[in-house]
Amino acid sequence: MSHFKEIQYNRPDASLWKQNFNNGLQLLKEATNEKDFTENFDNLNQLRVDFDARATICSIRHSIDTKDSFYENENLFFDETYPELQELIIDFQKTVLQSPFRTHLEKKLGKQYFIYAEESVKSFLPENVDELKEENKLSTRYNQIKAKAEIKYKDKIYNLSSIAELESSTDRETRKDSQELKWNFFETNAPDIEKIYGDLVGLRHKMAIKLGYKNYIELGYARMKRSDYNASMVATFRQQILEEVLPLCNELYQRQSKRLNIENMAYYDYSLMFLSGNPFPKGDESWMREKASQMYGELSKETDVFFQMMLTEGLMDLPSREGKMNGGYCTFIPGIQKPFIFSNFNNTSHDVTVLTHEAGHAFQCYQSRNLNYDCIWPTYEACEIHSMSMEFFTWPWMHLFFQEDTDKFLFEHLSAALLFLPYGCAVDEFQHEVYLHPEMSTEERNRIWRNIEKKYLPHRNYPAGSFLDKGGFWQKQSHIFSSPFYYIDYVLAQICAFQFWQRSKDSFPDAWTSYLHLCSLGGSASFLELVKEAGLDNPFEAGTVKKAMQPVIDFLKNIDDSKL
Ligand code: ZN
């Protein structure tokens, strides 16, 4: 392949596509033997690949520069067009599910393909197409509000990514001012953001009712293609976190307070881990690419091949820039069958974790790229095992990036992984409450968030009457808007990643072999089946959280953080 920048993009002709797909679908329905059926099945998937490839390239380019009006427009086209194609794709999946050649296809594709198809059939109704279009538009609008943030601090303009460097400054005033400015941005935009969310909740509830569900929760799970657990299992899992992890977090905050020499830490103090400053990578972006190249070169021959390809083919866009969408992601470009990594480097240690995290996703989908199109990725909780475990598999190379700060980084990384767990549960519980009571007003939603925050994050200390005190924090969490119920996935996966971390310390080659096997399975099995295949303990089972936490506790206890 040539460089990503050189890939030609042109808008697909939607009506021609529909016509071709319809014709193919007709042939599939009329197929009288296995050979014809398989051939038409492959042709239809090829049509999907062609369409999705262009949508993916467009979406990457739009996220790299949201100010580029060409791709902004193209992105709107896909937001509008995708829901219109959905009906045909569902018809295709129904045809496959009901086909007399299903057994033949099942032998070739495995049974998971059919589980995915069943979940998508369960979650679609042609009468919901307008709502789906509106849902896409609203998510895009939320992302654009955040991407266009311009926060002025001392004559310099920051965006929501680049401001993070100030937020963890060793100077308390800088931390306070920068975080106040950031939250002022959210407060100013709250009326728009809250309206977007209110509309999204209303739309989703309406779609669920039309499909015959009581509320959006069950539909949300079906859209996430979760086939082996339900909302009540998730609630029990959150309880495990509350019981086993929350006390540990409180201890960690006490240690932080001692390290920083601040008795009553304010909300803007948490992002500073060490009085001497947080660890940060000791070079610029191109230096980091070199270090990452050495790291993946030494880790395994598979990662070496993979990472060289990412570098030479321009499949990563790493630094933060004005107008760039927030956050980090990895996506897979169909057709060329290669991943793309997007991030917003901001000179913090997070640059390294985001790189190893997204590289974990990218490495996995590259390893499983030859599976059937619908089975390249598993469901999201399983995806996050690949990424979060990769963060740990790369620990032996962290000195390349952090040099004298390596111990600081390892302590910070592991603490952050642990401290994240209750936050992840809070975001999840909030969404269950919201979709259970779709009639709630914005004020009620904010109040519910604040109550949940007090339950899972009791240390958080906001000025009375402030935007955060009134429950505004959730408004910065994009998953709540664009991917409902995608958040507990990180918590489930972290419990699995801790197990890989421990195993990699016991025997790196054994743990890596198991990880490699997991990556190559891609989405060919369900979450719990994949967990089993990788030899991991099921996070839903009583006792798993406690067991997975023990080595983490031991490691953190044995570090004298007062010296860091
Ligand atoms: Zn991820």
Side-chain angles (χ1 to χ4, degrees):
M1 190 194 107
S2 52
H3 199 273
F4 175 74
K5 283 194 176 135
E6 286 155 18
I7 300 177
Q8 291 278 335
Y9 166 82
N10 42 51
R11 186 191 280 202
D13 180 336
S15 58
L16 181 66
W17 189 92
K18 282 186 213 165
Q19 206 183 322
N20 289 338
F21 201 87
N22 248 325
N23 294 343
L25 199 52
Q26 215 42 47
L27 293 173
L28 186 77
K29 288 178 180 171
E30 287 161 7
T32 51
N33 57 62
E34 287 174 2
K35 190 178 156 281
D36 283 357
F37 188 85
T38 316
E39 209 174 281
N40 287 306
F41 176 85
D42 291 341
N43 289 343
L44 286 166
N45 274 331
Q46 192 51 49
L47 282 171
R48 290 173 63 206
V49 165
D50 290 344
F51 196 93
D52 293 352
R54 298 190 231 195
T56 308
I57 290 161
C58 163
S59 144
I60 295 170
R61 291 186 180 158
H62 174 59
S63 64
I64 288 174
D65 182 6
T66 58
K67 288 180 170 175
D68 179 333
S69 58
F70 175 77
Y71 284 109
E72 185 178 7
N73 235 331
E74 292 305 292
N75 197 60
L76 284 174
F77 162 78
F78 287 108
D79 278 357
E80 180 80 15
T81 312
Y82 256 110
E84 287 173 10
L85 309 183
Q86 208 52 29
E87 193 173 354
L88 285 173
I89 291 168
I90 297 290
D91 196 2
F92 167 51
Q93 286 169 323
K94 276 186 187 160
T95 310
V96 176
L97 285 170
Q98 292 155 5
S99 153
F101 309 111
R102 178 171 166 163
T103 334
H104 164 73
L105 214 55
E106 217 168 296
K107 264 188 229 141
K108 201 177 139 204
L109 303 175
K111 69 175 174 47
Q112 188 61 28
Y113 171 87
F114 297 87
I115 293 173
Y116 293 143
E118 271 160 21
E119 295 296 321
S120 42
V121 168
K122 255 167 62 183
S123 52
F124 180 79
L125 197 70
E127 287 77 24
N128 279 336
V129 165
D130 287 341
E131 282 83 358
L132 289 169
K133 287 183 186 179
E134 192 56 26
E135 185 187 30
N136 285 343
K137 270 190 233 159
L138 289 167
S139 298
T140 299
R141 206 181 303 154
Y142 168 79
N143 284 325
Q144 282 171 345
I145 291 177
K146 281 173 65 183
K148 287 175 183 160
E150 290 182 348
I151 301 169
K152 201 174 161 199
Y153 176 79
K154 290 193 179 164
D155 294 331
K156 221 182 134 187
I157 304 286
Y158 294 84
N159 61 26
L160 289 171
S161 300
S162 57
I163 193 100
E165 201 182 348
L166 303 179
E167 290 182 80
S168 55
S169 164
T170 50
D171 175 49
R172 202 169 186 214
E173 281 306 304
T174 309
R175 286 203 300 279
K176 182 169 184 281
D177 294 346
S178 58
Q179 296 200 40
E180 271 176 6
L181 287 169
K182 179 179 89 175
W183 288 110
N184 282 346
F185 165 81
F186 278 101
E187 192 171 8
T188 312
N189 286 283
D192 285 344
I193 291 179
E194 287 166 351
K195 167 92 172 60
I196 290 174
Y197 193 56
D199 289 350
L200 280 169
V201 172
L203 281 173
R204 287 171 182 151
H205 183 71
K206 202 167 140 197
M207 288 195 275
I209 298 298
K210 280 202 241 170
L211 274 155
Y213 295 104
K214 233 170 46 208
N215 56 48
Y216 182 72
I217 299 174
E218 226 180 301
L219 173 57
Y221 276 52
R223 287 177 90 187
M224 296 288 283
K225 301 191 168 44
R226 292 173 176 172
S227 58
D228 45 16
Y229 61 96
N230 58 28
S232 94
M233 287 164 79
V234 170
T236 313
F237 173 70
R238 289 197 305 263
Q239 194 57 33
Q240 278 200 68
I241 298 292
L242 207 54
E243 284 162 17
E244 301 297 339
V245 181
L246 193 60
L248 305 172
C249 294
N250 292 335
E251 271 174 43
L252 280 175
Y253 287 121
Q254 278 165 18
R255 285 170 79 175
Q256 186 179 6
S257 154
K258 222 186 250 166
R259 281 198 308 274
L260 298 186
N261 204 10
I262 300 174
E263 202 177 327
N264 288 313
M265 288 197 293
Y267 73 93
Y268 48 81
D269 290 319
Y270 302 120
S271 40
L272 180 66
M273 287 293 284
F274 309 98
L275 202 54
S276 56
N278 286 358
F280 59 92
K282 308 293 177 196
D284 62 8
E285 188 221 344
S286 68
W287 179 88
M288 281 180 60
R289 283 173 182 258
E290 263 170 51
K291 300 297 165 194
S293 165
Q294 181 187 342
M295 170 173 79
Y296 282 122
E298 290 171 10
L299 201 159
S300 73
K301 65 176 191 306
E302 290 85 358
T303 50
D304 189 24
V305 171
F306 152 77
F307 202 73
Q308 288 312 315
M309 170 193 80
M310 298 301 285
L311 286 171
T312 52
E313 299 185 15
L315 296 168
M316 300 191 283
D317 191 279
L318 304 174
S320 174
R321 271 188 306 271
E322 201 194 319
K324 193 168 163 178
M325 207 163 277
N326 275 261
Y329 69 75
C330 162
T331 188
F332 182 76
I333 311 168
I336 67 162
Q337 304 297 89
K338 285 171 188 171
F340 189 94
I341 292 178
F342 171 97
S343 73
N344 274 283
F345 278 8
N346 54 10
N347 305 317
T348 65
S349 59
H350 188 61
D351 298 353
V352 178
T353 21
V354 86
L355 180 63
T356 53
H357 180 102
E358 302 307 340
H361 287 307
F363 179 67
Q364 177 266 310
C365 64
Y366 188 62
Q367 293 308 108
S368 62
R369 67 192 178 281
N370 295 326
L371 293 176
N372 175 267
Y373 185 45
D374 290 290
C375 297
I376 291 170
W377 296 104
T379 43
Y380 292 133
E381 8 44 0
C383 288
E384 298 304 340
I385 304 180
H386 311 129
S387 55
M388 292 171 133
S389 305
M390 180 64 98
E391 294 178 31
F392 290 127
F393 275 115
T394 51
W395 264 32
W397 289 270
M398 286 298 110
H399 62 277
L400 295 176
F401 299 93
F402 293 104
Q403 299 171 355
E404 71 278 11
D405 279 350
T406 305
D407 286 342
K408 266 188 180 179
F409 171 75
L410 300 183
F411 183 83
E412 177 199 65
H413 182 213
L414 197 64
S415 314
L418 192 152
L419 294 172
F420 169 77
L421 302 173
Y423 175 67
C425 289
V427 170
D428 184 62
E429 191 159 311
F430 173 66
Q431 298 184 77
H432 282 85
E433 284 298 315
V434 165
Y435 291 108
L436 195 59
H437 306 287
E439 71 290 348
M440 273 197 290
S441 68
T442 291
E443 292 71 31
E444 284 170 310
R445 273 198 292 267
N446 290 342
R447 198 165 51 240
I448 293 265
W449 166 261
R450 189 67 190 110
N451 289 339
I452 293 174
E453 207 178 21
K454 282 177 182 161
K455 174 175 162 188
Y456 287 98
L457 306 144
H459 64 284
R460 283 191 178 178
N461 181 5
Y462 302 131
S466 63
F467 175 67
L468 291 170
D469 187 45
K470 284 190 242 158
F473 189 96
W474 63 272
Q475 298 181 17
K476 72 150 204 159
Q477 193 60 60
S478 61
H479 300 68
I480 294 179
F481 296 79
S482 19
S483 315
F485 297 115
Y486 183 167
Y487 216 69
I488 199 69
D489 303 54
Y490 293 111
V491 186
L492 290 164
Q494 190 65 270
I495 297 300
C496 296
F498 281 152
Q499 299 176 52
F500 263 130
W501 171 71
Q502 174 58 27
R503 283 165 60 185
S504 76
K505 290 196 297 152
D506 292 344
S507 163
F508 196 94
D510 288 353
W512 181 255
T513 305
S514 186
Y515 176 79
L516 208 53
H517 172 58
L518 180 69
C519 290
S520 68
L521 288 172
S524 63
S526 74
F527 171 56
L528 291 178
E529 285 166 351
L530 290 169
V531 161
K532 205 168 164 194
E533 271 294 318
L536 300 165
D537 292 330
N538 174 346
F540 292 111
E541 259 166 39
T544 297
V545 171
K546 192 181 163 101
K547 192 175 153 202
M549 292 314 298
Q550 199 50 53
V552 178
I553 300 169
D554 293 344
F555 183 92
L556 292 172
K557 211 184 271 171
N558 287 327
I559 288 184
D560 181 2
D561 54 321
S562 65
K563 296 217 167 67
L564 294 174

